Amino acid sequence: GYGLFLGGGDLDSANQNYLYFLIRKDGQFLIKHRAGAETHNILAWTSSPAIIKQEGSASADNTLAVEASADSVRFFLNGRRVHALARSAAPVDGIAGLRVNHGLSLHVARLTVTPR
């Protein structure tokens, strides 16, 4: 899987904390929270027609986005909302960036964080 992490804190310690939103080439996505050594699913791997699947060695271009407002956090894949949470259930304040699992070859065209 690969995607975004947000709400990062203490990333260089055993108490690291962040929320992550990943996709994988089979057309599934995941939303998970890491707190120290423990992780828990917010949404387990779920199929979505919004994901462009990678077939064989061909590339697949996907755009992931997360929008946080005062009361909610919304997750988008290629412009389509795929999940939403109450802001209180999604720790999104903190460092944001890319999360890439081992053994993947990615081309990232743009990473933008826009405070509102």
Side-chain angles (χ1 to χ4, degrees):
Y2 62 92
L4 306 173
F5 77 87
L6 53 154
D10 295 320
L11 297 177
D12 59 352
S13 79
N15 295 322
Q16 59 187 299
N17 187 38
Y18 57 90
L19 184 75
Y20 53 106
F21 174 39
L22 305 181
I23 66 171
R24 59 186 188 196
K25 66 181 183 177
D26 66 356
Q28 294 191 20
F29 73 99
L30 163 87
I31 302 170
K32 206 165 187 175
H33 178 244
R34 179 178 190 111
E38 296 185 17
T39 62
H40 66 275
N41 286 338
I42 293 174
L43 183 67
W45 287 109
T46 302
S47 292
S48 174
I51 298 172
I52 299 168
K53 293 181 184 179
Q54 182 181 0
E55 303 292 340
S57 62
S59 65
D61 293 339
N62 286 285
T63 300
L64 287 75
V66 179
E67 292 182 357
S69 65
D71 61 350
S72 67
V73 178
R74 293 166 308 284
F75 300 83
F76 295 87
L77 292 166
N78 297 314
R80 293 174 59 185
R81 189 175 91 177
V82 293
H83 197 67
L85 298 167
R87 177 71 181 249
S88 60
V92 296
D93 294 320
I95 298 169
L98 297 173
R99 187 176 194 284
V100 181
N101 289 350
H102 305 284
L104 295 178
S105 176
L106 295 179
H107 172 81
V108 177
R110 185 177 66 201
L111 174 63
T112 305
V113 178
T114 306
R116 294 187 183 195

